[in-house]
PDB file of all heavy atoms in Angstrom:
ATOM      1  N   ASP A   2       0.848  -1.194   0.000  1.00 98.00           N
ATOM      2  CA  ASP A   2       0.000   0.000   0.000  1.00 98.00           C
ATOM      3  C   ASP A   2       0.884   1.246   0.000  1.00 98.00           C
ATOM      4  O   ASP A   2       1.149   1.859   1.034  1.00 98.00           O
ATOM      5  CB  ASP A   2      -0.927  -0.015   1.216  1.00 98.00           C
ATOM      6  CG  ASP A   2      -2.065   0.989   1.093  1.00 98.00           C
ATOM      7  OD1 ASP A   2      -1.944   1.913   0.263  1.00 98.00           O
ATOM      8  OD2 ASP A   2      -3.061   0.854   1.828  1.00 98.00           O
ATOM      9  N   VAL A   3       1.315   1.631  -1.201  1.00 98.00           N
ATOM     10  CA  VAL A   3       2.210   2.779  -1.338  1.00 98.00           C
ATOM     11  C   VAL A   3       1.468   4.069  -1.019  1.00 98.00           C
ATOM     12  O   VAL A   3       2.029   4.987  -0.416  1.00 98.00           O
ATOM     13  CB  VAL A   3       2.825   2.819  -2.748  1.00 98.00           C
ATOM     14  CG1 VAL A   3       3.739   4.035  -2.900  1.00 98.00           C
ATOM     15  CG2 VAL A   3       3.601   1.543  -3.035  1.00 98.00           C
ATOM     16  N   ALA A   4       0.201   4.151  -1.381  1.00 98.00           N
ATOM     17  CA  ALA A   4      -0.570   5.366  -1.091  1.00 98.00           C
ATOM     18  C   ALA A   4      -0.606   5.634   0.409  1.00 98.00           C
ATOM     19  O   ALA A   4      -0.335   6.755   0.860  1.00 98.00           O
ATOM     20  CB  ALA A   4      -1.985   5.232  -1.644  1.00 98.00           C
ATOM     21  N   ALA A   5      -0.926   4.614   1.198  1.00 98.00           N
ATOM     22  CA  ALA A   5      -0.980   4.782   2.653  1.00 98.00           C
ATOM     23  C   ALA A   5       0.391   5.123   3.214  1.00 98.00           C
ATOM     24  O   ALA A   5       0.524   5.967   4.109  1.00 98.00           O
ATOM     25  CB  ALA A   5      -1.522   3.514   3.304  1.00 98.00           C
ATOM     26  N   SER A   6       1.416   4.468   2.690  1.00 98.00           N
ATOM     27  CA  SER A   6       2.769   4.717   3.168  1.00 98.00           C
ATOM     28  C   SER A   6       3.187   6.162   2.940  1.00 98.00           C
ATOM     29  O   SER A   6       3.902   6.759   3.757  1.00 98.00           O
ATOM     30  CB  SER A   6       3.754   3.783   2.458  1.00 98.00           C
ATOM     31  OG  SER A   6       5.085   4.064   2.800  1.00 98.00           O
ATOM     32  N   GLU A   7       2.722   6.736   1.829  1.00 98.00           N
ATOM     33  CA  GLU A   7       3.064   8.115   1.494  1.00 98.00           C
ATOM     34  C   GLU A   7       2.113   9.113   2.135  1.00 98.00           C
ATOM     35  O   GLU A   7       2.240  10.326   1.926  1.00 98.00           O
ATOM     36  CB  GLU A   7       3.065   8.298  -0.022  1.00 98.00           C
ATOM     37  CG  GLU A   7       4.105   7.469  -0.762  1.00 98.00           C
ATOM     38  CD  GLU A   7       5.526   7.928  -0.486  1.00 98.00           C
ATOM     39  OE1 GLU A   7       5.722   9.149  -0.323  1.00 98.00           O
ATOM     40  OE2 GLU A   7       6.439   7.075  -0.443  1.00 98.00           O
ATOM     41  N   GLY A   8       1.147   8.615   2.915  1.00 98.00           N
ATOM     42  CA  GLY A   8       0.199   9.502   3.578  1.00 98.00           C
ATOM     43  C   GLY A   8      -0.822  10.109   2.638  1.00 98.00           C
ATOM     44  O   GLY A   8      -1.342  11.198   2.904  1.00 98.00           O
ATOM     45  N   GLU A   9      -1.130   9.407   1.549  1.00 98.00           N
ATOM     46  CA  GLU A   9      -2.047   9.928   0.542  1.00 98.00           C
ATOM     47  C   GLU A   9      -3.247   8.992   0.384  1.00 98.00           C
ATOM     48  O   GLU A   9      -3.106   7.768   0.472  1.00 98.00           O
ATOM     49  CB  GLU A   9      -1.349  10.041  -0.822  1.00 98.00           C
ATOM     50  CG  GLU A   9      -0.123  10.922  -0.834  1.00 98.00           C
ATOM     51  CD  GLU A   9      -0.469  12.406  -0.943  1.00 98.00           C
ATOM     52  OE1 GLU A   9      -1.677  12.737  -1.039  1.00 98.00           O
ATOM     53  OE2 GLU A   9       0.467  13.222  -0.942  1.00 98.00           O
ATOM     54  N   GLU A  10      -4.423   9.558   0.131  1.00 97.00           N
ATOM     55  CA  GLU A  10      -5.554   8.724  -0.263  1.00 97.00           C
ATOM     56  C   GLU A  10      -5.337   8.198  -1.674  1.00 97.00           C
ATOM     57  O   GLU A  10      -5.640   7.033  -1.981  1.00 97.00           O
ATOM     58  CB  GLU A  10      -6.864   9.512  -0.187  1.00 97.00           C
ATOM     59  CG  GLU A  10      -7.335   9.797   1.229  1.00 97.00           C
ATOM     60  CD  GLU A  10      -8.757  10.323   1.251  1.00 97.00           C
ATOM     61  OE1 GLU A  10      -9.345  10.539   0.152  1.00 97.00           O
ATOM     62  OE2 GLU A  10      -9.288  10.509   2.353  1.00 97.00           O
ATOM     63  N   ILE A  11      -4.843   9.071  -2.536  1.00 98.00           N
ATOM     64  CA  ILE A  11      -4.517   8.724  -3.913  1.00 98.00           C
ATOM     65  C   ILE A  11      -3.175   9.354  -4.240  1.00 98.00           C
ATOM     66  O   ILE A  11      -2.965  10.543  -3.989  1.00 98.00           O
ATOM     67  CB  ILE A  11      -5.576   9.260  -4.899  1.00 98.00           C
ATOM     68  CG1 ILE A  11      -6.974   8.762  -4.518  1.00 98.00           C
ATOM     69  CG2 ILE A  11      -5.242   8.856  -6.321  1.00 98.00           C
ATOM     70  CD1 ILE A  11      -8.082   9.433  -5.313  1.00 98.00           C
ATOM     71  N   LEU A  12      -2.253   8.589  -4.776  1.00 98.00           N
ATOM     72  CA  LEU A  12      -0.952   9.147  -5.123  1.00 98.00           C
ATOM     73  C   LEU A  12      -1.117  10.205  -6.214  1.00 98.00           C
ATOM     74  O   LEU A  12      -1.977  10.090  -7.093  1.00 98.00           O
ATOM     75  CB  LEU A  12      -0.015   8.050  -5.613  1.00 98.00           C
ATOM     76  CG  LEU A  12       0.444   7.036  -4.564  1.00 98.00           C
ATOM     77  CD1 LEU A  12       1.284   5.943  -5.225  1.00 98.00           C
ATOM     78  CD2 LEU A  12       1.235   7.711  -3.453  1.00 98.00           C
ATOM     79  N   PRO A  13      -0.293  11.244  -6.199  1.00 98.00           N
ATOM     80  CA  PRO A  13      -0.390  12.303  -7.218  1.00 98.00           C
ATOM     81  C   PRO A  13      -0.159  11.760  -8.624  1.00 98.00           C
ATOM     82  O   PRO A  13       0.468  10.706  -8.815  1.00 98.00           O
ATOM     83  CB  PRO A  13       0.732  13.272  -6.813  1.00 98.00           C
ATOM     84  CG  PRO A  13       1.002  12.983  -5.379  1.00 98.00           C
ATOM     85  CD  PRO A  13       0.741  11.521  -5.183  1.00 98.00           C
ATOM     86  N   ASP A  14      -0.664  12.473  -9.614  1.00 98.00           N
ATOM     87  CA  ASP A  14      -0.454  12.090 -11.004  1.00 98.00           C
ATOM     88  C   ASP A  14       1.033  11.882 -11.277  1.00 98.00           C
ATOM     89  O   ASP A  14       1.893  12.673 -10.842  1.00 98.00           O
ATOM     90  CB  ASP A  14      -0.985  13.176 -11.949  1.00 98.00           C
ATOM     91  CG  ASP A  14      -2.505  13.226 -11.992  1.00 98.00           C
ATOM     92  OD1 ASP A  14      -3.146  12.406 -11.307  1.00 98.00           O
ATOM     93  OD2 ASP A  14      -3.040  14.090 -12.713  1.00 98.00           O
ATOM     94  N   SER A  15       1.340  10.815 -11.987  1.00 98.00           N
ATOM     95  CA  SER A  15       2.702  10.476 -12.433  1.00 98.00           C
ATOM     96  C   SER A  15       3.684  10.233 -11.286  1.00 98.00           C
ATOM     97  O   SER A  15       4.902  10.260 -11.490  1.00 98.00           O
ATOM     98  CB  SER A  15       3.271  11.558 -13.369  1.00 98.00           C
ATOM     99  OG  SER A  15       2.493  11.649 -14.543  1.00 98.00           O
ATOM    100  N   PHE A  16       3.172   9.959 -10.099  1.00 98.00           N
ATOM    101  CA  PHE A  16       4.058   9.682  -8.962  1.00 98.00           C
ATOM    102  C   PHE A  16       4.859   8.408  -9.236  1.00 98.00           C
ATOM    103  O   PHE A  16       4.288   7.366  -9.557  1.00 98.00           O
ATOM    104  CB  PHE A  16       3.227   9.508  -7.693  1.00 98.00           C
ATOM    105  CG  PHE A  16       4.045   9.271  -6.444  1.00 98.00           C
ATOM    106  CD1 PHE A  16       4.482  10.333  -5.673  1.00 98.00           C
ATOM    107  CD2 PHE A  16       4.381   7.983  -6.045  1.00 98.00           C
ATOM    108  CE1 PHE A  16       5.231  10.118  -4.520  1.00 98.00           C
ATOM    109  CE2 PHE A  16       5.127   7.750  -4.906  1.00 98.00           C
ATOM    110  CZ  PHE A  16       5.558   8.823  -4.138  1.00 98.00           C
ATOM    111  N   PRO A  17       6.200   8.467  -9.108  1.00 98.00           N
ATOM    112  CA  PRO A  17       7.019   7.288  -9.406  1.00 98.00           C
ATOM    113  C   PRO A  17       7.124   6.349  -8.197  1.00 98.00           C
ATOM    114  O   PRO A  17       7.425   6.782  -7.088  1.00 98.00           O
ATOM    115  CB  PRO A  17       8.386   7.896  -9.737  1.00 98.00           C
ATOM    116  CG  PRO A  17       8.430   9.159  -8.922  1.00 98.00           C
ATOM    117  CD  PRO A  17       7.013   9.668  -8.836  1.00 98.00           C
ATOM    118  N   ILE A  18       6.885   5.066  -8.432  1.00 98.00           N
ATOM    119  CA  ILE A  18       7.011   4.061  -7.379  1.00 98.00           C
ATOM    120  C   ILE A  18       8.243   3.218  -7.684  1.00 98.00           C
ATOM    121  O   ILE A  18       8.227   2.326  -8.544  1.00 98.00           O
ATOM    122  CB  ILE A  18       5.758   3.172  -7.291  1.00 98.00           C
ATOM    123  CG1 ILE A  18       4.526   4.031  -7.008  1.00 98.00           C
ATOM    124  CG2 ILE A  18       5.928   2.106  -6.216  1.00 98.00           C
ATOM    125  CD1 ILE A  18       3.224   3.262  -7.036  1.00 98.00           C
ATOM    126  N   GLY A  19       9.312   3.537  -7.004  1.00 98.00           N
ATOM    127  CA  GLY A  19      10.568   2.813  -7.187  1.00 98.00           C
ATOM    128  C   GLY A  19      10.884   1.942  -5.992  1.00 98.00           C
ATOM    129  O   GLY A  19      10.053   1.743  -5.092  1.00 98.00           O
ATOM    130  N   GLU A  20      12.098   1.435  -5.959  1.00 98.00           N
ATOM    131  CA  GLU A  20      12.507   0.552  -4.862  1.00 98.00           C
ATOM    132  C   GLU A  20      12.378   1.246  -3.510  1.00 98.00           C
ATOM    133  O   GLU A  20      11.924   0.639  -2.527  1.00 98.00           O
ATOM    134  CB  GLU A  20      13.944   0.086  -5.076  1.00 98.00           C
ATOM    135  CG  GLU A  20      14.446  -0.827  -3.959  1.00 98.00           C
ATOM    136  CD  GLU A  20      15.837  -1.370  -4.201  1.00 98.00           C
ATOM    137  OE1 GLU A  20      16.378  -1.188  -5.321  1.00 98.00           O
ATOM    138  OE2 GLU A  20      16.401  -1.982  -3.265  1.00 98.00           O
ATOM    139  N   ARG A  21      12.753   2.508  -3.440  1.00 98.00           N
ATOM    140  CA  ARG A  21      12.691   3.222  -2.168  1.00 98.00           C
ATOM    141  C   ARG A  21      11.271   3.257  -1.623  1.00 98.00           C
ATOM    142  O   ARG A  21      11.038   2.986  -0.438  1.00 98.00           O
ATOM    143  CB  ARG A  21      13.219   4.649  -2.336  1.00 98.00           C
ATOM    144  CG  ARG A  21      13.265   5.446  -1.025  1.00 98.00           C
ATOM    145  CD  ARG A  21      13.642   6.902  -1.275  1.00 98.00           C
ATOM    146  NE  ARG A  21      12.610   7.616  -1.989  1.00 98.00           N
ATOM    147  CZ  ARG A  21      11.516   8.123  -1.401  1.00 98.00           C
ATOM    148  NH1 ARG A  21      11.336   7.976  -0.090  1.00 98.00           N
ATOM    149  NH2 ARG A  21      10.619   8.769  -2.118  1.00 98.00           N
ATOM    150  N   GLU A  22      10.317   3.595  -2.468  1.00 98.00           N
ATOM    151  CA  GLU A  22       8.925   3.683  -2.033  1.00 98.00           C
ATOM    152  C   GLU A  22       8.375   2.317  -1.647  1.00 98.00           C
ATOM    153  O   GLU A  22       7.615   2.183  -0.672  1.00 98.00           O
ATOM    154  CB  GLU A  22       8.065   4.296  -3.150  1.00 98.00           C
ATOM    155  CG  GLU A  22       8.301   5.769  -3.395  1.00 98.00           C
ATOM    156  CD  GLU A  22       9.583   6.068  -4.154  1.00 98.00           C
ATOM    157  OE1 GLU A  22      10.113   5.153  -4.839  1.00 98.00           O
ATOM    158  OE2 GLU A  22      10.081   7.214  -4.066  1.00 98.00           O
ATOM    159  N   LEU A  23       8.758   1.290  -2.379  1.00 98.00           N
ATOM    160  CA  LEU A  23       8.290  -0.058  -2.073  1.00 98.00           C
ATOM    161  C   LEU A  23       8.861  -0.554  -0.751  1.00 98.00           C
ATOM    162  O   LEU A  23       8.144  -1.134   0.081  1.00 98.00           O
ATOM    163  CB  LEU A  23       8.658  -1.012  -3.213  1.00 98.00           C
ATOM    164  CG  LEU A  23       7.964  -0.746  -4.551  1.00 98.00           C
ATOM    165  CD1 LEU A  23       8.612  -1.579  -5.658  1.00 98.00           C
ATOM    166  CD2 LEU A  23       6.474  -1.051  -4.466  1.00 98.00           C
ATOM    167  N   ARG A  24      10.144  -0.329  -0.553  1.00 98.00           N
ATOM    168  CA  ARG A  24      10.768  -0.754   0.712  1.00 98.00           C
ATOM    169  C   ARG A  24      10.145  -0.032   1.901  1.00 98.00           C
ATOM    170  O   ARG A  24       9.900  -0.638   2.954  1.00 98.00           O
ATOM    171  CB  ARG A  24      12.276  -0.493   0.666  1.00 98.00           C
ATOM    172  CG  ARG A  24      13.064  -1.495  -0.156  1.00 98.00           C
ATOM    173  CD  ARG A  24      14.557  -1.270   0.003  1.00 98.00           C
ATOM    174  NE  ARG A  24      15.356  -2.233  -0.732  1.00 98.00           N
ATOM    175  CZ  ARG A  24      15.725  -3.429  -0.270  1.00 98.00           C
ATOM    176  NH1 ARG A  24      15.319  -3.813   0.938  1.00 98.00           N
ATOM    177  NH2 ARG A  24      16.460  -4.225  -1.004  1.00 98.00           N
ATOM    178  N   ALA A  25       9.886   1.266   1.740  1.00 98.00           N
ATOM    179  CA  ALA A  25       9.304   2.040   2.838  1.00 98.00           C
ATOM    180  C   ALA A  25       7.915   1.518   3.194  1.00 98.00           C
ATOM    181  O   ALA A  25       7.564   1.383   4.372  1.00 98.00           O
ATOM    182  CB  ALA A  25       9.232   3.518   2.445  1.00 98.00           C
ATOM    183  N   ALA A  26       7.107   1.208   2.169  1.00 98.00           N
ATOM    184  CA  ALA A  26       5.760   0.700   2.413  1.00 98.00           C
ATOM    185  C   ALA A  26       5.809  -0.676   3.068  1.00 98.00           C
ATOM    186  O   ALA A  26       5.056  -0.962   4.010  1.00 98.00           O
ATOM    187  CB  ALA A  26       4.979   0.644   1.107  1.00 98.00           C
ATOM    188  N   LEU A  27       6.680  -1.545   2.588  1.00 98.00           N
ATOM    189  CA  LEU A  27       6.813  -2.882   3.181  1.00 98.00           C
ATOM    190  C   LEU A  27       7.222  -2.793   4.644  1.00 98.00           C
ATOM    191  O   LEU A  27       6.709  -3.536   5.499  1.00 98.00           O
ATOM    192  CB  LEU A  27       7.828  -3.709   2.390  1.00 98.00           C
ATOM    193  CG  LEU A  27       7.365  -4.203   1.021  1.00 98.00           C
ATOM    194  CD1 LEU A  27       8.551  -4.696   0.206  1.00 98.00           C
ATOM    195  CD2 LEU A  27       6.323  -5.316   1.164  1.00 98.00           C
ATOM    196  N   LYS A  28       8.135  -1.878   4.954  1.00 98.00           N
ATOM    197  CA  LYS A  28       8.587  -1.711   6.333  1.00 98.00           C
ATOM    198  C   LYS A  28       7.453  -1.227   7.227  1.00 98.00           C
ATOM    199  O   LYS A  28       7.247  -1.747   8.334  1.00 98.00           O
ATOM    200  CB  LYS A  28       9.755  -0.724   6.384  1.00 98.00           C
ATOM    201  CG  LYS A  28      10.361  -0.564   7.782  1.00 98.00           C
ATOM    202  CD  LYS A  28      11.571   0.362   7.741  1.00 98.00           C
ATOM    203  CE  LYS A  28      12.184   0.515   9.140  1.00 98.00           C
ATOM    204  NZ  LYS A  28      13.371   1.413   9.113  1.00 98.00           N
ATOM    205  N   LYS A  29       6.674  -0.250   6.761  1.00 98.00           N
ATOM    206  CA  LYS A  29       5.560   0.264   7.554  1.00 98.00           C
ATOM    207  C   LYS A  29       4.503  -0.803   7.793  1.00 98.00           C
ATOM    208  O   LYS A  29       3.865  -0.856   8.839  1.00 98.00           O
ATOM    209  CB  LYS A  29       4.943   1.479   6.870  1.00 98.00           C
ATOM    210  CG  LYS A  29       5.802   2.732   6.959  1.00 98.00           C
ATOM    211  CD  LYS A  29       5.112   3.936   6.338  1.00 98.00           C
ATOM    212  CE  LYS A  29       5.979   5.181   6.456  1.00 98.00           C
ATOM    213  NZ  LYS A  29       5.333   6.384   5.870  1.00 98.00           N
ATOM    214  N   GLN A  30       4.295  -1.647   6.799  1.00 97.00           N
ATOM    215  CA  GLN A  30       3.303  -2.717   6.913  1.00 97.00           C
ATOM    216  C   GLN A  30       3.795  -3.893   7.746  1.00 97.00           C
ATOM    217  O   GLN A  30       2.988  -4.706   8.210  1.00 97.00           O
ATOM    218  CB  GLN A  30       2.953  -3.256   5.516  1.00 97.00           C
ATOM    219  CG  GLN A  30       2.289  -2.277   4.614  1.00 97.00           C
ATOM    220  CD  GLN A  30       2.080  -2.827   3.204  1.00 97.00           C
ATOM    221  OE1 GLN A  30       1.732  -2.094   2.312  1.00 97.00           O
ATOM    222  NE2 GLN A  30       2.293  -4.128   2.998  1.00 97.00           N
ATOM    223  N   GLY A  31       5.112  -4.021   7.855  1.00 97.00           N
ATOM    224  CA  GLY A  31       5.673  -5.198   8.504  1.00 97.00           C
ATOM    225  C   GLY A  31       5.562  -6.435   7.636  1.00 97.00           C
ATOM    226  O   GLY A  31       5.387  -7.553   8.128  1.00 97.00           O
ATOM    227  N   THR A  32       5.677  -6.236   6.312  1.00 97.00           N
ATOM    228  CA  THR A  32       5.505  -7.329   5.352  1.00 97.00           C
ATOM    229  C   THR A  32       6.835  -7.664   4.683  1.00 97.00           C
ATOM    230  O   THR A  32       7.590  -6.763   4.317  1.00 97.00           O
ATOM    231  CB  THR A  32       4.496  -6.928   4.253  1.00 97.00           C
ATOM    232  OG1 THR A  32       3.289  -6.459   4.858  1.00 97.00           O
ATOM    233  CG2 THR A  32       4.177  -8.108   3.351  1.00 97.00           C
ATOM    234  N   GLU A  33       7.099  -8.954   4.503  1.00 97.00           N
ATOM    235  CA  GLU A  33       8.290  -9.397   3.782  1.00 97.00           C
ATOM    236  C   GLU A  33       7.879 -10.089   2.494  1.00 97.00           C
ATOM    237  O   GLU A  33       6.876 -10.816   2.461  1.00 97.00           O
ATOM    238  CB  GLU A  33       9.127 -10.351   4.630  1.00 97.00           C
ATOM    239  CG  GLU A  33       9.879  -9.687   5.774  1.00 97.00           C
ATOM    240  CD  GLU A  33      10.878 -10.641   6.413  1.00 97.00           C
ATOM    241  OE1 GLU A  33      10.622 -11.861   6.407  1.00 97.00           O
ATOM    242  OE2 GLU A  33      11.909 -10.165   6.902  1.00 97.00           O
ATOM    243  N   LEU A  34       8.645  -9.864   1.450  1.00 97.00           N
ATOM    244  CA  LEU A  34       8.407 -10.549   0.194  1.00 97.00           C
ATOM    245  C   LEU A  34       8.981 -11.952   0.241  1.00 97.00           C
ATOM    246  O   LEU A  34       9.992 -12.196   0.897  1.00 97.00           O
ATOM    247  CB  LEU A  34       9.046  -9.779  -0.960  1.00 97.00           C
ATOM    248  CG  LEU A  34       8.520  -8.364  -1.220  1.00 97.00           C
ATOM    249  CD1 LEU A  34       9.302  -7.718  -2.355  1.00 97.00           C
ATOM    250  CD2 LEU A  34       7.036  -8.379  -1.533  1.00 97.00           C
TER     251      LEU A  34
END
C-alpha cells in the first residue's frame, strides 16, 4: 500500500514508485516478500 505509506488517499499524477517507495511501504506494513 504505497498510497498509505506516502500519507495519501490517492498518489499524485505520475508519482514514481521505485525501490525506495516499495521498501518504505513494506517496512511500515511489517511485510516481507
Side-chain angles (χ1 to χ4, degrees):
D2 195 342
V3 179
S6 175
E7 297 291 325
E9 302 279 358
E10 288 192 356
I11 304 171
L12 291 176
D14 288 359
S15 297
F16 182 90
I18 301 174
E20 179 176 351
R21 183 187 68 81
E22 289 76 21
L23 294 169
R24 283 188 178 274
L27 287 166
K28 184 176 180 180
K29 287 183 179 181
Q30 296 175 191
T32 308
E33 287 190 330
L34 298 177

